[in-house]
Amino acid sequence: KIRMLKDRVKGLYRISLLPIAYCLLPVLLFGCSYDRDVAIAKNTIRKYNKTLIDVYRDLKTDYLFGVASPREIGHIEVVVTDFKGKNLFMEAEIKSIEFIHIDRKKNNEMVLETKEKWRFRHLMLGSKKEVRPWRDIDYNMIYHVINEKGTWLVNKVDFAKDRIDTKKNEKLP
């Protein structure tokens, strides 16, 4: 009788775990997908910033294809056109980036806030004469990233808070 009771308990145990497994499976899959998407979005932002350094140095926005949406590329084209009009280009370095907040708006949209430390200077096109010396700037940025056809792209970038010149410890316009 004890053996029959043990077999019956084992059978009930197996049956009761099956519905729980069916309920947990989507949660586990979504959770894994969420973590993977966040990691990809963070890497997209890192790649966007590294690419932006090249764009401002070479004044070529086509470098941004694959990391930025046409909307964001349009905004960067305005900055590049301004540099060209002033006969300038910019050298920059990103010293650090820290992701401080992540908000998934929809399945294909995220907003990520960062703390960033940059160093940059402005030079004349052609002569490479320094117009503005190296400056260290701290930024808090908000990146709106979207997933278009399976690729995460930076769609919009905003300043989250005041920009600070770290040498002078003063706010920038």
Side-chain angles (χ1 to χ4, degrees), residues 44 69-70 108-110 144-148 151-156:
T44 299
S69 70
N108 66 339
E109 184 180 339
M110 276 188 241
H144 300 261
V145 295
I146 57 171
N147 189 324
E148 279 191 0
T151 303
W152 286 97
L153 302 170
V154 173
N155 190 47
K156 182 181 176 190

Side-chain angles (χ1 to χ4, degrees), residues 6 9 13 26 43 60 68 91 112 117 119 145 155 161:
K6 283 183 181 177
V9 169
Y13 182 70
N43 284 334
K60 295 183 179 183
E91 287 184 344
L112 296 92
K117 293 185 183 295
R119 183 173 188 244
V145 295
N155 190 47
K161 296 180 182 177

Side-chain angles (χ1 to χ4, degrees), residues 56 79 82-83 90 113-120 122 132 135-143 157-173:
Y56 289 152
V79 176
D82 185 54
F83 278 152
M90 184 171 73
E113 186 175 348
T114 64
K115 279 185 172 184
E116 301 176 12
K117 293 185 183 295
W118 284 84
R119 183 173 188 244
F120 66 90
H122 293 98
R132 264 198 178 155
R135 289 175 81 173
D136 293 325
I137 307 291
D138 294 349
Y139 295 103
N140 277 39
M141 304 299 294
I142 297 175
Y143 293 88
V157 181
D158 293 313
F159 292 103
K161 296 180 182 177
D162 296 323
R163 297 173 286 167
I164 305 293
D165 182 324
T166 54
K167 286 184 182 172
K168 298 178 184 175
N169 199 26
E170 64 183 32
K171 291 182 184 178
L172 296 171

Side-chain angles (χ1 to χ4, degrees), residues 24-157:
L24 287 177
L25 187 61
V27 172
L28 292 172
L29 290 176
F30 177 75
C32 293
S33 171
Y34 174 81
D35 290 344
R36 185 177 48 87
D37 286 347
V38 168
I40 293 169
K42 286 179 177 182
N43 284 334
T44 299
I45 291 168
R46 286 184 188 101
K47 187 174 179 183
Y48 169 85
N49 282 322
K50 287 179 182 176
T51 305
L52 203 57
I53 290 168
D54 297 336
V55 167
Y56 289 152
R57 182 195 61 231
D58 299 342
L59 302 177
K60 295 183 179 183
T61 56
D62 57 328
Y63 296 167
L64 289 166
F65 289 104
V67 292
S69 70
R71 178 183 193 269
E72 180 59 17
I73 292 171
H75 285 106
I76 300 302
E77 283 177 348
V78 171
V79 176
V80 167
T81 300
D82 185 54
F83 278 152
K84 286 179 179 178
K86 294 176 181 175
N87 205 28
L88 296 174
F89 71 99
M90 184 171 73
E91 287 184 344
E93 301 169 356
I94 186 163
K95 294 175 155 189
S96 68
I97 183 168
E98 176 188 350
F99 293 89
I100 57 175
H101 183 74
I102 299 164
D103 184 19
R104 186 157 196 162
K105 296 292 185 185
K106 298 177 187 170
N107 202 26
N108 66 339
E109 184 180 339
M110 276 188 241
V111 177
L112 296 92
E113 186 175 348
T114 64
K115 279 185 172 184
E116 301 176 12
K117 293 185 183 295
W118 284 84
R119 183 173 188 244
F120 66 90
R121 69 180 179 161
H122 293 98
L123 300 111
M124 293 295 293
L125 280 172
S127 70
K128 297 185 180 179
K129 179 184 171 194
E130 188 176 74
V131 176
R132 264 198 178 155
W134 286 104
R135 289 175 81 173
D136 293 325
I137 307 291
D138 294 349
Y139 295 103
N140 277 39
M141 304 299 294
I142 297 175
Y143 293 88
H144 300 261
V145 295
I146 57 171
N147 189 324
E148 279 191 0
K149 299 176 185 171
T151 303
W152 286 97
L153 302 170
V154 173
N155 190 47
K156 182 181 176 190
V157 181

Side-chain angles (χ1 to χ4, degrees), residues 14-28:
R14 282 188 209 126
I15 292 171
S16 64
L17 286 180
L18 194 58
I20 293 170
Y22 280 123
C23 291
L24 287 177
L25 187 61
V27 172
L28 292 172

